[in-house]
Amino acid sequence: MQWQSQAKPRIHRRVNTNLFTWAGLVLSTVSLWYIPVFWNSYTASTTVNRVPINAAQVLSRCAQLDVMPGVPAQFQQRTQSDRFEEGTPPTLIYNATIWTGSDNQVVRGDVLLDGGIIKRVGGYYPDARKIYGERLVIVDAKGAWVTPGIVDLHSHLGVNSAPSLSGASDGNSHHGITQPKLKSLDGLNTHDDAFVLSVSGGITSANVLPGSANAIGGQAFPIKLRPTSERSASSKLIEQPGSPTSTGWRQMNIRYRHACGENPSRRYEGTRMDTIWSFRAAYDKARKLVNEQDKFCAAAKAFQWADLKGEDFPDDLEWEALADVIRGKVKVHNHCYEAVDFDGIVRLSNEFKFPIAAFHHAHEAYLVPELINKAWGETPAIAIFATNGRYKREAYRGSEFAPRIIADSGLRVVMKSDHPVMNSRYLLFDAQQAYYYGLDANTALTSITTTPATVMGLGHRIGFVNPGYDADIVIWDSHPLALGATPKQVFIDGIAQFSDPHVVEKPATSQGLPARPNFDKEIAETIKYEGLPPLNPLKNSRNVIFENVKQVWARVDSEVGVEETFSTPTGDGVVVVEDGQIKCTGLCEAALESDRGYEKVDLKGGSLAPGFLAFGSPLGINVINGEASTKDGAIFDPLTGSIPSILGGDGAVIKAVDGLQFETRDALLAYRSGVTTAVSAPVGSRVFAGLGTHFSTGASNKLEIGAVVHKTTALHLKIGYTSNGSPSVSSQIATLRRLLLGYGEGDQKATFEAVTNGKVPLVISVESADIMATLMQLKEEVEGTSGTSIQMTFAGGSEAHLIAQELGKADVGVILFPVRPFPKTWERRRVLPGPPITEQSAVAALVTNNVTVGLGVVEAWEARNSRFDAAWVALETGISQKRALSMVSSNLEKLLGAQVASTQADIVAYQGGDVFESSSKVIAVISPRRHLVDFL
């Protein structure tokens, strides 16, 4: 990627003479200690107890079995990191606000980096300039926040590479349900485009796990993300092979999935019972190997060589790693979601007496803390997502309040990415969300720094800003728990990762710890209902007076979209609602004095803003993506197969409205987050999808008044490369050309005529700028023939910025999703990442060229975060709040053919702050279509 800017200092590999010296001393000591005894044994019985020639090596191997991993005594005395790159200059970061990771400690002052380690923290160090002279690099932090580099406990960086290509898919082995012998290091692709992107989000270290298709997936390896001059996978390892400062800890990825289509069950066609048995069978083999080794070494240590009958030390490369698990030498990372799975693994850990470092995903861990505490040895940490859930049955009870509940239970909390499932560049966002929903600030920060480092057994060298630790440091442009916080600079092993970082100056309000709402009531409900609390409105009312209002944003006409209609710095405004319509804004003295029976609600300096619209996910179409019985199902595509004649043959047009499902948890959570409507298209087609539909996320059923806002909206298609190359992109576009020129049949012909005449928008899911350019030429060609304009919208749009100027001139809108781009596939590889890598983001590039931009979501669970997405865009690009609000409301309506009259548009009430402030939360929705106000 052209925007990669990380420096690669020259490295000089040197033979670790300390290692050879140590090994020699061990062998010499063993030999000197035991040779007299060997001789006595030999003279006593030369025929029955002959000493083997490799006795010293055998005894050394046996001695190693008793050596437990740990921090070497000499580690704290190191003056240079074993990862130090020759030529790296010393760096003084001065005038910083430093969160050290130690006991919620925040200090002001300097941080000195030298030799790949942190030399000094806090206070001021003017003598550094004298000591280091001109070699010293000086960075003025200007009071900015400095933290340890972020540590991702669960990543597949390098083994599931970006862009995703079959030649670099090394996450899963399908050669057996238990594979402890495999090593993620053997598949680590150092050319993964995601490395530099993740670093730009402050990630400095990651635990790279094998994939999740197996019960035991193999061995994980903690790495640093910076490029090295050696360019090898091994050179990325945090603990360098043979280093005298290595702890000796191994990481193992034990993945436990169960039935209902989950990973090992799906891959190996088994059940939860089969998976547990596979664990027990594997551990039984490992235990037998341990017993054989112990028996062998007991005889060797007692010099009973005759009993060993000349046999070699018992070893088995396939099972030796699992044997080390039983010996307590491995950090076990165990994927479990549900209580029943935790129970099985906890029993397994007690049966075979091995500790578990962390349960990952763990969507139900917050419901069973007592069970987690019963695991053998130290209580496992819990590594989870913030709001990602309900994508599988086992994730259905996941809760945004889980981090807070887990921490309150005394368990250690870790936020992780599961990259590329979640783009690890934005792991900090998960910590921010966890904080917003109740986790205390210090624990939110430790969940991505000190705790994951400690869980891996590396808390002595990463995860803290303390003297003697690795020089992995992030300088932030705002408080790290403030939405949109972005690195100004990242240091890994003392090396600055960006030679010319682009920095956006954030407002003063972003420099302190953000205020947040109180969710104690919701947390209690979550526990009471075992993760499935009622989400429907608590009650509704027709006439309401909102008091202590600071700001009101309202929908106006379709061209203006959103406008601020009221604002007062004192936050004491009044808004009167009658029959679901705003009747007065301001003082409203007459209403306040009326005896009409208004229900009064205190917004506490809050605001009113238009309801948001969600698009891009199967919200309302699918309930649980991993469960076929909860989804609308696949639709027929005339380009890839014939359509039954009873359906209308190849001329059929599918309507998403016919497959709508209401009261899904994702839809109701979106409603409670201010996303009051959604547009969804039919799901499951390669090319032709059908007509979208516009519906209320808070409705209970399709027959309810206002449940379906527009039965049909735009016509949706998808044009792009396919995994098997069929049908070709050129075939897809040729087909589209014929249909736009009137060569269709039946309903299809009529629908495309409406598109050509500009009556129905054409929404095309497309990522590649090359394909977009071809579609724009097609648009011009058809318009030249028809004499009318086509309303064309590109959805996805990863590479749209490359032709932003042309899009603006052609009046082709773009709905970006994901909002923060990631080069997941080949056709998305040319992303514009934004600061600190590039000056502009994709949104900024499009807006600058007068492109109408909407913000979409990829998965249904993400819809609830639309508010955060819009606020983040405003912070990063500097666009107005009005423009950002339009991107998740009126712009989307226009681009999708889902316009709503201003008098019929939902209005959302936020208590405790304005729509973009983290101090506020949604408490009510004003629905003009239903003539009432829902209280949430």
Side-chain angles (χ1 to χ4, degrees):
M1 291 179 288
Q2 294 179 353
W3 33 258
Q4 291 194 24
S5 58
Q6 293 163 297
K8 299 181 181 179
R10 182 174 179 81
I11 184 171
H12 298 278
R13 289 285 181 194
R14 294 176 292 185
V15 176
N16 194 328
T17 54
N18 289 337
L19 177 62
F20 291 114
T21 302
W22 177 85
L25 287 173
V26 168
L27 290 174
S28 300
T29 302
V30 169
S31 300
L32 290 173
W33 178 265
Y34 285 117
I35 282 175
V37 183
F38 295 163
W39 180 255
N40 290 338
S41 299
Y42 175 74
T43 54
S45 179
T46 58
T47 58
V48 297
N49 206 28
R50 188 179 301 275
V51 179
I53 194 170
N54 65 336
Q57 289 88 339
V58 168
L59 289 168
S60 176
R61 183 73 183 273
C62 289
Q64 291 173 20
L65 296 180
D66 299 324
V67 177
M68 294 299 294
V71 181
Q74 68 269 31
F75 184 86
Q76 299 303 331
Q77 283 73 50
R78 66 176 184 158
T79 58
Q80 181 174 291
S81 171
D82 52 352
R83 292 184 46 80
F84 175 67
E85 298 251 18
E86 296 288 349
T88 302
T91 299
L92 179 68
I93 304 169
Y94 77 95
N95 190 24
T97 305
I98 309 158
W99 182 83
T100 66
S102 300
D103 300 321
N104 202 15
Q105 184 185 49
V106 176
V107 298
R108 291 295 298 266
D110 301 347
V111 181
L112 178 64
L113 315 177
D114 185 28
I117 62 177
I118 300 170
K119 295 289 188 177
R120 292 186 58 149
V121 177
Y124 295 93
Y125 194 32
D127 291 341
R129 294 170 175 82
K130 298 178 182 178
I131 295 172
Y132 292 101
E134 294 183 357
R135 292 192 307 120
L136 183 67
V137 175
I138 300 172
V139 178
D140 184 0
K142 299 179 181 179
W145 285 90
V146 168
T147 71
I150 294 176
V151 181
D152 190 355
L153 188 65
H154 183 139
S155 177
H156 303 290
L157 267 167
V159 293
N160 291 129
S161 301
S164 177
L165 296 168
S166 60
S169 179
D170 290 297
N172 289 298
S173 167
H174 295 159
H175 293 284
I177 194 169
T178 53
Q179 297 286 340
K181 60 192 177 186
L182 302 182
K183 299 179 178 182
S184 66
L185 182 65
D186 295 329
L188 190 70
N189 174 21
T190 59
H191 300 297
D192 187 341
D193 285 354
F195 278 117
V196 63
L197 292 171
S198 294
V199 171
S200 75
I203 311 293
T204 56
S205 302
N207 192 27
V208 178
L209 303 160
S212 58
N214 307 309
I216 301 178
Q219 300 168 47
F221 285 81
I223 65 168
K224 296 283 186 81
L225 270 58
R226 70 171 174 85
T228 66
S229 56
E230 185 176 294
R231 299 188 180 93
S232 69
S234 294
S235 65
K236 286 184 173 292
L237 294 175
I238 293 179
E239 297 199 311
Q240 290 294 290
S243 171
T245 60
S246 173
T247 62
W249 279 114
R250 303 169 77 172
Q251 316 285 323
M252 181 166 289
N253 188 33
I254 294 184
R255 301 186 173 272
Y256 176 44
R257 307 285 184 169
H258 53 72
C260 304
E262 312 302 342
N263 293 24
S265 298
R266 179 173 58 243
R267 177 64 185 85
Y268 295 99
E269 299 180 350
T271 65
R272 179 183 285 113
M273 296 178 289
D274 293 307
T275 303
I276 280 290
W277 166 246
S278 72
F279 277 121
R280 296 188 68 229
Y283 272 100
D284 188 55
K285 291 179 181 178
R287 181 167 57 185
K288 289 177 180 177
L289 178 60
V290 168
N291 291 339
E292 290 175 9
Q293 291 174 344
D294 289 347
K295 181 179 178 181
F296 178 93
C297 288
K301 291 176 182 178
F303 321 119
Q304 301 298 320
W305 302 107
D307 294 346
L308 300 180
K309 301 176 181 178
E311 295 178 1
D312 293 330
F313 178 85
D315 207 353
D316 190 327
L317 290 178
E318 183 173 0
W319 301 106
E320 56 89 18
L322 211 57
D324 271 357
V325 172
I326 293 176
R327 294 189 185 280
K329 297 184 176 187
V330 178
K331 297 289 187 178
V332 175
H333 299 274
N334 198 322
H335 284 211
C336 276
Y337 279 82
E338 297 186 87
V340 63
D341 306 325
F342 298 133
D343 189 71
I345 294 298
V346 165
R347 284 187 280 109
L348 186 79
S349 75
N350 282 284
E351 178 182 1
F352 292 94
K353 295 181 174 52
F354 67 90
I356 299 164
F359 281 121
H360 291 238
H361 294 315
H363 279 63
E364 291 188 15
Y366 70 98
L367 297 174
V368 289
E370 295 85 359
L371 173 59
I372 304 298
N373 274 308
K374 292 181 179 179
W376 196 88
E378 184 179 12
T379 301
I382 306 298
I384 55 177
F385 295 128
T387 54
N388 186 350
R390 295 166 297 285
Y391 48 89
K392 294 192 286 186
R393 191 198 70 83
E394 61 187 2
Y396 195 66
R397 293 176 187 266
S399 171
E400 64 272 32
F401 305 114
R404 158 78 181 275
I405 298 170
I406 290 168
D408 287 350
S409 300
L411 302 178
R412 293 172 295 164
V413 179
V414 174
M415 309 309 298
K416 46 80 179 172
S417 74
D418 194 14
H419 181 96
V421 172
M422 299 277 286
N423 181 358
S424 65
R425 179 183 181 184
Y426 302 111
L427 178 54
L428 179 63
F429 182 42
D430 262 39
Q432 292 167 353
Q433 292 177 87
Y435 167 73
Y436 176 78
Y437 289 112
L439 187 64
D440 76 86
N442 191 63
T443 305
L445 289 174
T446 60
S447 73
I448 53 171
T449 52
T450 65
T451 304
T454 303
V455 168
M456 288 192 291
L458 298 172
H460 62 290
R461 70 179 294 168
I462 62 174
F464 295 82
V465 183
N466 284 336
Y469 276 69
D470 286 10
D472 299 345
I473 299 290
V474 182
I475 306 174
W476 300 96
D477 64 6
S478 49
H479 190 288
L481 291 180
L483 182 68
T486 302
K488 289 184 171 184
Q489 184 58 275
V490 178
F491 294 87
I492 303 180
D493 299 323
I495 303 170
Q497 295 301 293
F498 302 103
S499 58
D500 186 21
H502 298 278
V503 177
V504 175
E505 292 300 323
K506 296 293 176 61
T509 53
S510 294
Q511 303 309 317
L513 180 67
R516 62 181 179 182
N518 184 292
F519 288 103
D520 288 348
K521 179 182 177 183
E522 291 88 343
I523 290 170
E525 290 281 290
T526 298
I527 297 172
K528 175 182 177 181
Y529 290 97
E530 297 187 7
L532 300 176
L535 298 176
N536 298 90
L538 301 175
K539 63 176 182 177
N540 52 59
S541 179
R542 302 183 76 87
N543 303 315
V544 179
I545 293 178
F546 292 101
E547 298 178 308
N548 295 315
V549 180
K550 180 172 67 174
Q551 186 181 43
V552 176
W553 292 91
R555 291 289 300 279
V556 284
D557 59 65
S558 59
E559 291 301 320
V560 177
V562 178
E563 196 71 74
E564 185 183 53
T565 59
F566 174 79
S567 178
T568 171
T570 57
D572 57 357
V574 174
V575 175
V576 177
V577 178
E578 295 178 1
D579 292 328
Q581 295 278 355
I582 294 179
K583 295 298 184 180
C584 178
T585 301
L587 296 177
C588 305
E589 294 175 346
L592 291 173
E593 295 172 359
S594 169
D595 59 356
R596 186 170 177 176
Y598 294 98
E599 183 161 354
K600 294 184 178 181
V601 178
D602 185 359
L603 286 192
K604 302 177 181 178
S607 65
L608 274 69
F612 298 155
L613 185 153
F615 169 74
S617 77
L619 188 68
I621 301 295
N622 297 348
V623 180
I624 304 174
N625 270 344
E627 292 291 338
S629 64
T630 72
K631 303 191 295 186
D632 180 42
I635 62 174
F636 296 101
D637 187 332
L639 192 57
T640 57
S642 61
I643 297 179
S645 59
I646 195 172
L647 188 59
D650 289 351
V653 175
I654 306 301
K655 298 179 180 180
V657 68
D658 295 330
L660 275 179
Q661 301 185 66
F662 288 86
E663 288 194 328
T664 70
R665 295 196 72 79
D666 282 318
L668 291 173
L669 285 167
Y671 191 69
R672 297 172 72 90
S673 302
V675 182
T676 61
T677 64
V679 169
S680 291
V683 177
S685 169
R686 283 187 178 178
V687 181
F688 293 97
L691 290 166
T693 188
H694 186 195
F695 63 97
S696 169
T697 56
S700 60
N701 63 78
K702 189 182 293 185
L703 302 179
E704 185 179 287
I705 295 174
V708 178
V709 184
H710 294 96
K711 287 185 178 180
T712 59
T713 54
L715 178 65
H716 294 261
L717 286 77
K718 180 178 181 180
I719 305 293
Y721 306 109
T722 57
S723 59
N724 61 3
S726 177
S728 68
V729 169
S730 52
S731 297
Q732 296 170 43
I733 292 177
T735 304
L736 178 58
R737 176 182 290 109
R738 285 181 54 81
L739 293 172
L740 288 172
L741 292 174
Y743 290 97
E745 58 183 64
D747 291 343
Q748 185 186 77
K749 179 180 177 66
T751 302
F752 273 93
E753 284 180 352
V755 169
T756 303
N757 293 330
K759 296 179 180 179
V760 173
L762 180 61
V763 178
I764 305 175
S765 294
V766 57
E767 305 291 351
S768 166
D770 298 314
I771 300 176
M772 291 182 210
T774 302
L775 290 169
M776 289 170 66
Q777 290 177 332
L778 175 60
K779 176 179 183 290
E780 184 178 4
E781 174 188 340
V782 174
E783 289 174 342
T785 301
S786 67
T788 56
S789 296
I790 296 175
Q791 300 179 54
M792 183 176 285
T793 297
F794 292 151
S798 294
E799 295 187 351
H801 61 277
L802 295 174
I803 53 171
Q805 187 175 4
E806 292 79 7
L807 288 167
K809 291 178 180 178
D811 195 24
V812 175
V814 176
I815 302 174
L816 290 172
F817 58 86
V819 176
R820 295 169 291 281
F822 180 71
K824 183 176 182 179
T825 61
W826 184 257
E827 56 191 326
R828 303 180 189 180
R829 70 190 185 282
R830 296 178 292 182
V831 298
L832 189 65
I837 300 176
T838 61
E839 182 178 4
Q840 279 193 321
S841 66
V843 173
L846 293 170
V847 168
T848 300
N849 287 280
N850 299 313
V851 178
T852 301
V853 176
L855 307 180
V857 297
V858 178
E859 297 186 55
W861 63 267
E862 293 177 287
R864 69 184 305 172
N865 292 332
S866 295
R867 171 190 171 199
F868 297 132
D869 288 340
W872 197 332
V873 164
L875 284 165
E876 185 175 73
T877 64
I879 64 173
S880 66
Q881 189 170 4
K882 168 186 172 178
R883 203 162 194 175
L885 286 171
S886 296
M887 289 180 179
V888 286
S889 57
S890 57
N891 282 15
L892 285 173
E893 290 179 7
K894 176 183 177 181
L895 296 171
L896 295 166
Q899 288 95 332
V900 174
S902 59
T903 56
Q904 295 297 302
D906 295 330
I907 298 292
V908 178
Y910 295 84
Q911 187 179 68
D914 75 34
V915 57
F916 284 168
E917 288 181 329
S918 64
S919 58
S920 69
K921 72 175 178 179
V922 175
I923 65 164
V925 175
I926 303 169
S927 176
R929 292 189 303 276
R930 296 164 56 223
H931 308 290
L932 52 77
V933 177
D934 280 332
F935 291 100
L936 306 173

